[in-house]
Amino acid sequence: MFAKQETGQKGVRHYRRSITLHNDVQEVPLLNAFVDEVCKNMGFDVTLTMKMNLAIEEAVVNVMNYAYAEGTTGEVYIEANADDACLEFVIRDSGVPFDPTSNTVVDTTLPAEVRPIGGLGIFLVNQLMDTVHYKRHDGQNILTLQKKMNGQ
């Protein structure tokens, strides 16, 4: 289920793990276990691990719910890469093109009942991560979320 690779060069820690899930929210516990293990290996405390889980889960569940047509099975590939400076999660899918970073302005001062639907998830991801980047390449949506190791 998990693929793992660790290499070291002159004291620099490199870490890579990946998991492939189907577009089925029943697989979210597998995602949470994956993120927990990555964060544990990076030495994150419980609070930061919970924040990472929230951000990654928000992004992946959006893919699970919206990237593929209803009734269609698709995959979500999540890769974690880290070194001593940064932890990066790369989320890939082959679903419909969608850039979640294109509309990140959310007026959180408005009451929920008058606020437009959507946008809170990526707003939350942007609050929890240091860098969020999207690109479409070779028929895939690629969302990259980064957290600086010293920004804990």
Side-chain angles (χ1 to χ4, degrees):
M1 176 188 341
F2 298 151
K4 180 177 180 179
Q5 177 182 357
E6 293 182 59
T7 58
Q9 180 180 17
K10 294 187 181 184
V12 176
R13 174 176 55 170
H14 295 281
Y15 180 82
R16 173 176 286 157
R17 292 197 46 97
S18 62
I19 186 171
T20 301
L21 302 173
H22 295 99
N23 59 324
D24 181 350
V25 295
Q26 296 298 314
E27 294 193 359
V28 168
L30 297 172
L31 174 67
N32 295 143
F34 171 75
V35 175
D36 285 347
E37 185 171 321
V38 169
C39 290
K40 178 182 177 186
N41 278 289
M42 293 299 98
F44 288 179
D45 64 24
V46 174
T47 301
L48 187 55
T49 298
M50 287 174 32
K51 289 178 181 178
M52 293 297 95
N53 246 314
L54 183 59
I56 305 310
E57 182 178 321
E58 178 62 39
V60 171
V61 167
N62 280 340
V63 172
M64 290 175 166
N65 286 334
Y66 303 114
Y68 300 98
E70 191 171 333
T72 303
T73 299
E75 292 183 337
V76 185
Y77 175 78
I78 304 101
E79 182 177 308
N81 301 297
D83 59 24
D84 291 331
C86 181
L87 171 59
E88 173 182 85
F89 286 92
V90 180
I91 302 164
R92 298 175 190 261
D93 68 82
S94 299
V96 296
F98 177 69
D99 179 358
T101 66
S102 65
N103 188 13
T104 60
V105 178
V106 175
D107 187 352
T108 57
T109 63
L110 293 174
E113 56 274 3
V114 297
R115 194 177 314 141
I117 294 175
L120 279 178
I122 193 66
F123 174 80
L124 176 65
V125 170
N126 277 314
Q127 296 299 308
L128 297 172
M129 304 303 288
D130 294 314
T131 306
V132 178
H133 176 74
Y134 169 85
K135 71 179 178 179
R136 179 84 178 171
H137 182 73
D138 287 340
Q140 289 191 321
N141 295 302
I142 304 169
L143 184 65
T144 304
L145 312 174
Q146 295 180 327
K147 187 71 174 171
K148 295 176 187 166
M149 295 303 282
N150 63 1
Q152 294 187 42

